[in-house]
Amino acid sequence: MLAAERRDHLLELLARQGKVVAKDVAADLGISEDSVRRDLRDLAAEGLCQRVYGGALPVSPAVADYAARQTVTPDGKRKVASVAAGLVRPGGAVILDGGTTALAVAHALPKELSCTVITHSPTIAAALLDHPRAELFLLGGRVFKHSAVTCGAAAVEAAQNVSADLCLLGVTGVHPEVGLTTGDAEEAAMKRALSARAADTYILASSEKLGTASRFRVLPWEKVSGVITDADAHHPVVEQVKALGVEVLTAS
Amino acid sequence: MLAAERRDHLLELLARQGKVVAKDVAADLGISEDSVRRDLRDLAAEGLCQRVYGGALPVSPAVADYAARQTVTPDGKRKVASVAAGLVRPGGAVILDGGTTALAVAHALPKELSCTVITHSPTIAAALLDHPRAELFLLGGRVFKHSAVTCGAAAVEAAQNVSADLCLLGVTGVHPEVGLTTGDAEEAAMKRALSARAADTYILASSEKLGTASRFRVLPWEKVSGVITDADAHHPVVEQVKALGVEVLTAS
DNA sequence: CCTGTTCTTGCACGTTTATGCATGTATTGT
DNA sequence: ACAATACATGCATAAACGTGCAAGAACAGG
């Protein structure tokens, strides 16, 4: 890899993602962090980027506000989202829950992927409007403003009329014994309804959810095909969940 | 997540929401409150925000870019939206169409107005999430990405189960003889279905729509209670529409 | 083909910076 | 006045940084 190539690569990353993390790029390109730092220093000297602790930012912060929105989601959720997006097969149908992690999944879906996305979140629907090849189906109903999803009888009924290969569900608590839980009864019912319409259900479980439980049970472990998390494979909760016979996909 | 990114994020929140709560941001980004406090302290030291107990406020309180968003919508649409929003009675129910003008109406609704909003646009629904007293009902169905609304049989069927006092409809053409028109047959059908569920239907007709016609008829003039426009009261189309017995609300 | 120079790269070292936790203090609301 | 919450401070740890140095590659000139 040529040095000039690296610089171009850095500038492209900067434009596309709105930021560059020295460590990540180094690992990605298989070169030392020192070289990346040197490149960034040079670019900054030429006024092509703004050097910050840990990496660099574009000179004009308003470069890509789509990208900016991406970057404000915590690292863990983004990793989980990336793995989850990989589960969606071209031509397949996926039921996508609401919540910030699910929104990250929507953003992580390849822009030209042709698939069917079924969701009960207007936010998710709005995020997928610029995916030209994605068929989008919105489940209507009363909107719960707190979590920005439709719930209630009408929404559950609407869900009965769809089916999919895959359901990606967000929850607030993932506990080996208690199971999967969330903070609202209506939401829990809706999540159950969604899960029942898909062949496989995977849980979006960024590490802060592991080992915690909320008030309302969503699903028992038997109904879950797998869990996607950014926690280490040796995390105690991960190992307990594996012992229950549930597949665990770790995103490191 | 880079430290500099966090600071940018804080400033953006400050601009968009007019305030920052340390605890919330910490939970949101998955970092400790200490870091958030330190960032806020630094920003305050640079004069970029005003530190207060529990979080921070913008330096000049009136900067929250609610105004900024309003200004990107053309002047005419904003005026129309403002008048339309005035038609919504406290406690009343309104069916709100999709489109940019309808989105402006959503933004123009008083934040503390308690009313029921029924819409088939995920974008509109997302825009109204921060109206705590507004009951929100979303009509599901296949999403037409071009105009960001749900359409088709499922959406029309969902519309049959609601009713409202008022329907605010956006169209692409307003012509005295041809009537109200739009560019897509499915959309036209959906708009008809919406209109049929409300006691009164008003058309959002910013001046560039007047005198033009598109491919598909939405409604004949008899089904329309009124037209809201920013055009002058002596605009020829306005006078012709008035002659048809349709009320015209002019927003100057 | 050989040699000396320059440039790049990765490594080692010490330094600086950021972060989370613990402790004690201030502020707010009831 | 009291409890709850927010805050500042100090500290330990880990990460990022800069610098100097040596090994190697690219290149020019003899």
Side-chain angles (χ1 to χ4, degrees), chain A residues 19-21 52-53 57 69 71-72 74-75 122 125 128-129 131-132 134-138 140-143 145 148 150, chain B residues 1-2 4-5 8-9 16 28-29 122-123 125 128-129 131-132 134-143 145 148 150 154:
Chain A
K19 74 164 178 178
V20 161
V21 180
V52 299
Y53 201 90
L57 296 176
R69 263 181 214 173
T71 52
V72 300
D75 269 358
L128 286 172
L129 286 175
H131 283 60
E135 177 79 12
L136 203 50
F137 195 92
L138 188 56
R142 184 168 176 276
V143 177
K145 285 194 280 289
T150 58
Chain B
M1 155 143 309
L2 269 45
E5 255 184 298
D8 288 350
H9 182 228
R16 188 157 44 178
D28 214 45
L29 299 183
T123 317
L128 286 170
L129 287 175
H131 284 59
E135 177 79 13
L136 204 48
F137 195 92
L138 188 56
L139 300 172
R142 183 166 177 279
V143 177
K145 285 194 280 290
T150 59

Side-chain angles (χ1 to χ4, degrees), chain A residues 25-240:
Chain A
V25 179
D28 215 44
L29 299 183
I31 56 178
S32 77
E33 293 180 42
D34 297 71
S35 295
V36 178
R37 270 197 283 271
R38 269 189 270 251
D39 286 338
L40 289 179
R41 196 195 309 172
D42 294 347
L43 289 175
E46 294 176 45
L48 297 174
C49 74
Q50 186 196 342
R51 192 79 172 80
V52 299
Y53 201 90
L57 296 176
V59 270
S60 129
V63 176
D65 63 339
Y66 178 85
R69 263 181 214 173
Q70 277 286 70
T71 52
V72 300
T73 68
D75 269 358
K77 292 190 179 184
R78 219 168 51 245
K79 286 178 187 163
V80 170
S82 169
V83 172
L87 293 180
V88 181
R89 298 261 149 265
V94 57
I95 296 175
L96 195 48
D97 193 12
T100 53
T101 312
L103 182 59
V105 173
H107 282 137
L109 281 177
K111 211 154 189 168
E112 292 298 327
L113 181 67
S114 84
C115 61
T116 301
V117 178
I118 301 159
T119 183
H120 64 135
S121 161
T123 318
I124 301 262
L128 286 172
L129 286 175
D130 60 353
H131 283 60
R133 304 176 62 90
E135 177 79 12
L136 203 50
F137 195 92
L138 188 56
L139 300 171
R142 184 168 176 276
V143 177
F144 267 34
K145 285 194 280 289
H146 172 63
S147 41
V149 293
T150 58
C151 284
V156 169
E157 193 187 323
Q160 303 313 313
N161 297 315
V162 301
S163 61
D165 315 311
L166 175 67
C167 175
L168 295 173
L169 224 52
V171 295
T172 58
V174 175
H175 196 283
E177 288 156 27
V178 183
L180 305 163
T181 50
T182 194
D184 182 272
E186 289 274 12
E187 270 188 68
M190 187 66 194
K191 286 175 197 291
R192 265 194 302 277
L194 292 178
S195 168
R197 306 305 307 167
D200 285 302
T201 298
Y202 281 78
I203 305 299
L204 306 167
S206 47
S207 53
E208 76 270 15
K209 315 275 176 65
L210 296 183
T212 68
S214 297
R215 189 85 183 76
F216 299 96
R217 163 86 81 94
V218 175
L219 285 174
W221 284 112
E222 304 88 73
K223 298 286 184 70
V224 175
S225 304
V227 171
I228 307 169
T229 183
D230 61 312
D232 190 89
H234 304 101
H235 189 293
V237 172
V238 168
E239 299 203 322
Q240 285 174 279

Side-chain angles (χ1 to χ4, degrees), chain A residues 4-20:
Chain A
E5 260 182 292
R6 276 201 323 257
R7 287 180 32 137
D8 288 349
H9 181 68
L10 288 172
L11 288 175
E12 194 190 319
L13 282 180
L14 218 45
R16 189 163 43 183
Q17 303 183 1
K19 74 164 178 178
V20 161

Side-chain angles (χ1 to χ4, degrees), chain B residues 220-237:
Chain B
W221 284 112
E222 304 88 75
K223 298 286 184 71
V224 176
S225 304
V227 171
I228 308 169
T229 183
D230 61 311
D232 191 88
H234 304 101
H235 189 292
V237 173

